[in-house]
Amino acid sequence: MRNLIFIALFTCQAFLVSIAAAEEFPTLAEERKVPVVVLGALDKITARLSSIEARQNEPVRFGTLEIVMRHCRSNPPEETPESVAFLEITDIGQGKKSEKVFSGWMFASSPAVSPLEHPVYDIWVTRCKMVSGEASPPSE
């Protein structure tokens, strides 16, 4: 009987150690996940509406704008839905020097709280997601 109890305790301990190790050391697939912000974009001149995906710290272009997402976060499903991203947007322009037109947090649920103020383009956060770090997402 003692041996049976010892084996049961040893098995439980081994199981708990394996769970702790799994949380401490993510699998290879989890390590390759990178945050991506999905943005809505409007060119007011052509009325072109686009969806843009920007990976963390990788610049993407929309018209004359260069957009870099520094941080993106979404609430867990059990909380109020919200996605927030820290964006840096620079207007590269054509023939003029670059000008930073936005640097700050944008909220998906409240785009008017901190909007991009640009005469030609509107940019807003739609959501944040995690994707595999191997291939670059499509962008416009």
Side-chain angles (χ1 to χ4, degrees):
M1 184 68 170
R2 280 180 142 169
N3 289 341
L4 189 58
I5 292 174
F6 176 75
I7 291 171
L9 289 174
F10 181 75
T11 304
C12 287
Q13 183 180 9
F15 177 72
L16 292 174
V17 168
S18 68
I19 289 174
E23 290 176 1
E24 196 171 317
F25 302 104
T27 65
L28 189 58
E30 291 173 337
E31 289 176 12
R32 292 186 183 161
K33 296 281 187 175
V34 293
V36 171
V37 64
V38 179
L39 302 169
L42 172 66
D43 182 329
K44 298 175 191 175
I45 305 286
T46 64
R48 180 177 64 150
L49 188 60
S50 302
S51 180
I52 303 169
E53 292 187 3
R55 290 171 181 252
Q56 190 170 26
N57 300 320
E58 291 183 16
V60 295
R61 294 286 304 262
F62 179 73
T64 61
L65 299 181
E66 182 179 78
I67 305 161
V68 180
M69 182 268 291
R70 299 293 181 196
H71 185 76
C72 193
R73 181 182 183 283
S74 290
N75 283 350
E78 62 272 6
E79 294 182 16
T80 305
E82 178 64 282
S83 291
V84 60
F86 188 87
L87 302 175
E88 294 175 351
I89 303 175
T90 305
D91 191 349
I92 306 290
Q94 288 153 3
K96 65 177 184 174
K97 70 176 195 171
S98 298
E99 177 186 356
K100 187 172 278 192
V101 292
F102 183 85
S103 181
W105 293 96
M106 280 192 185
F107 299 86
S109 66
S110 309
V113 169
S114 59
L116 166 69
E117 295 179 10
H118 193 275
V120 179
Y121 305 107
D122 278 342
I123 303 288
W124 62 93
V125 173
T126 304
R127 65 188 176 103
C128 297
K129 63 181 183 176
M130 298 296 282
V131 298
S132 171
E134 293 174 10
S136 293
S139 63
E140 296 191 25

